[in-house]
Amino acid sequence: MNRLLLGLLLCLSFWSHTTLASLLAIDYGTDWIKASLMSPGVPFDVLLNRDSKRKIQSSVGWKKEDRLFGSDAFNIAGRYPTDTFSALKYLHGAPFDSPTVSFYTSLSTADLAKTSRGTVAARRSDGSEWSVEELIAMQLGYVRDLAESAVNGEKVTDVILTVPPYFTQHERDAVIDAVEIAGMRTLALVHDGSSVAINYAMTRTFSDVPEHHIIYDAGASAIRATIASFSSVDSKSKNAGTSINIAGVGFERQVGGNELDRRLREILIKDFARKHKQDVRSDKRALAKLWKEANRVKTILSANADAVASVESLTNDIDYRSKVTRAEFESACRDLTGRFAKPIFDALANADMTLDNITSVILTGGSSRTPMVQAAVTAAVGKARIAQNVNADEASVLGLSRQFKTKDIRLTDIGPYDIQVSYIAEAKNENSKPRTINTLVFPAGSKAGSRKTLTFKRKDDFNVKLTYRSPPVPGYPSDILEAEIKGIPEALKNLTDLGAVDPVVKATVVLSESGFVSVQDPVAFGEIKDDSLSGKLKGLFGGSGSSSEETTADKETLARSESSSVPSSSQEPSATPEKKPAKKDNTIPLELKINLASVPPMSVAEKRAARDRLIAIDRLEAAKHAREEARNSLEGYLYRVRDLLEDGASDSPFVKCSQEKERQAMQKKLQEGFAWLSEHGDDASTKDFIEQRSALEVMEKPIIHRYQEIEEFPKALNTSQMWNWSTRLFITEAKANLTASQDSDIPPRYTKEEIESLEKTLKEHERWMNEMVEKQKSVEMNEDPILESSVLREKVKPLETQLQKLLKKKAPRIPKKSGTASSTTAASSGTGGSKSGGGSSSPSSSSSSSSSSQGHDEL
């Protein structure tokens, strides 16, 4: 069964036609975040940040008590080096004592701490600690807020994210934890190389013969190479789709743009020490400033032979300025040249291919623009294979989204690591030594979405471990999870009592579309012996019996693998016919308990506590922003009123509609407001600011009302007069109609009572309006109106309603006169009688008779 892209095509189809909710796609990179939003009625595009930029810096920081995101956070690192946190992707699920964390400390100025789970937290200058999951959740929450602003405040809760193919289960767990702490739900994790392959396929067609391309992604933290095979699905059909099969992956986890930045910063550090005899490695502010400058210089060197590094007040008020050449920079990175192209050859080896099978190498990722990286890849694969036909920055996030609405794309991804099942063999006797059996269930390159069913010959409860065959990353644990299977003795006894022969234990191991491996559905199973005559005959001629696919792995274990595609969505319709229940139940579910790995994901309680912590800081910041808005609003209002009062022109609307005593009172209140703002503005609450503004608004409101009435009253008066005129015209016509109806014996459309009632309402309204308008004429512009426009509109409504009701009244049906019917019948009889010989009349004869009759009448 073909798996639609990540199982989300069906899921999104269900989303599109039923829930109509928004879906957020995030490409979370080490240096930059790109996001897109799919929402009904919203044009699809990359999400813009608050500065209208198409990518967001992967940074979060604090400027004293103010939390900042994106470039705002990154740019304050030189002033607040221990309160700014960037490149957190390195620390996803990383053990605190691992080499990865040591490498991160060589890049960042952040202070790190160890969590209770053995992972990493960051410590701020005020002593507060935030886990990596919490800090990343803050960034994801910021992106979600941008998305919700784009859809006018509609809640966005569903998200899909990219992850590198080399991410272990521990790192993927950390991503899911961060999403949940941010208050969202993960629909899928997508390998970034696969997402770029999808984007590449969107605007292209392929034949039935597969094309093999390498997606070379040079990012900030690592380099990945993904071999994708493209071919057509149902090429002869009008709705032909594209099949993408990932054949192999290769990667270098610590060779990327940040390693280049680190080496360039080292050049600047040594140059500063040579010129000023000072080592700035112990000065975190200086390191943060040089890190930012190294990134800028690297960008310039990508297009120029040299660049000038300049940092004001680097340390001890010393301004630093120096020239760096591309040759010097490339010399410092010479040992990395071979590692730039190594992921390509690793991917080819995993896919069992050579460069002769490859059509092109597609460059993507920000570091793919670096000349030394391009030169290394070109030297490895040849210039003819180099392709730069995707957006290096946005291809990954666009691949997450655009395919859902334009083209049928089917993706089959793979797992990059060998995963095995380990368990202790059942002891033959008390003196037997424990023996661990390891069975490889998912070799590297196994298709994502596959499952394997393992069969064990066990009599007692036992544990099954899922582990990586070898450590996936130095310093990372190999164990994934441990499953306790319980209730085996009782279940086997029950099956034996039912007549089962040699019952066994079965468990299913699943490699999900998002790269998670799990143990599911443990059961006790046994073939029930059928002693009936039909059962014996069935067994004699090869009917139901033990599966011939099962092979003996050892004396204690029967191992059988059943590979199939896992449905990627709970909404996916099933075409499998329902199976009739067996006469005897030969399967008994067993108890399953999952124990987490040595570096476990966050527990439900930990995630809830982290979520509450983020909600608390969000509320605190929201209250702070509300207070700032209230203060700015009050200050702006005071200056506006001051301008009104100081503009003493007698023809200004404000002066015309206000009295001298009102302006004096407002002037006094205005001075009090400025004095209060100067004295209490720094410590006043939001409520205080609102009350101060309200006190002055109450004095201004009558003046504004007068001015508005001067504009609105003529309109309301004109509307009332129009209804009076229309009603009087209607009454005149209705009375004429009533008189004509009485003369012709035709029932009138409007009765006398209805016309008189309407006329009465009209006269009452005219009398009231004329009286009130005369009173209003004596009111000055700076006095409150006697007759308001709202009252005029309200008073004319009864007349309007009564008139509309009569206009909608249907005209009575006019009955036919009896004389007309009699003459018609007589004419018909005469025509028939004029025919000779009798018989039925024809249309021509009828017409002839009618003509003769008309001619006779004229004579």
Side-chain angles (χ1 to χ4, degrees), residues 326-343:
R326 183 193 292 181
E328 182 183 5
F329 176 40
E330 291 181 350
S331 175
C333 303
R334 186 177 294 112
D335 61 305
L336 299 177
T337 302
R339 298 175 69 183
F340 290 148
K342 184 175 181 295

Side-chain angles (χ1 to χ4, degrees), residues 37-56:
L37 180 67
M38 291 169 285
S39 182
V42 177
F44 169 75
D45 199 2
V46 173
L47 201 64
L48 303 181
N49 67 2
R50 303 198 191 282
D51 299 325
S52 298
K53 300 293 180 62
R54 296 175 68 87
K55 56 183 181 179
I56 306 161

Side-chain angles (χ1 to χ4, degrees), residues 790-802:
S790 59
V791 177
L792 268 175
R793 295 189 182 96
E794 189 67 27
K795 282 290 185 178
V796 81
K797 278 186 179 180
L799 180 63
E800 176 186 350
T801 302
Q802 196 171 349

Side-chain angles (χ1 to χ4, degrees), residues 266 269-270 279-284 287:
E266 193 66 21
I269 291 174
K270 291 179 180 178
D279 189 351
V280 297
R281 289 184 177 87
S282 60
D283 187 341
K284 290 192 172 185
L287 287 177

Side-chain angles (χ1 to χ4, degrees), residues 16 33 46 56-57 91 95 137 147 160 181 212 237 258 458 470 480 496 501 522 533 559 591 698 712 737 757 782:
S16 300
I33 303 171
V46 173
I56 306 161
Q57 198 103 27
L91 304 178
I160 51 178
I181 293 172
H212 308 297
S237 171
N258 283 342
R458 307 290 294 212
S470 58
I480 300 174
T496 303
V501 179
L533 179 60
E591 181 183 349
V698 168
E712 293 297 323
N737 176 269
S757 176
N782 60 1

Side-chain angles (χ1 to χ4, degrees), residues 216 218 223 260 302 326 330 337 340-341 344 361 363-383 386-388 392:
Y216 182 84
I223 295 176
L260 302 182
S302 296
R326 183 193 292 181
E330 291 181 350
T337 302
F340 290 148
I344 294 176
V361 178
L363 301 185
T364 184
S367 296
S368 65
R369 301 186 182 96
T370 306
M372 74 177 81
V373 175
Q374 290 186 358
V377 176
T378 301
V381 304
K383 187 176 181 180
I386 299 297
Q388 294 176 308

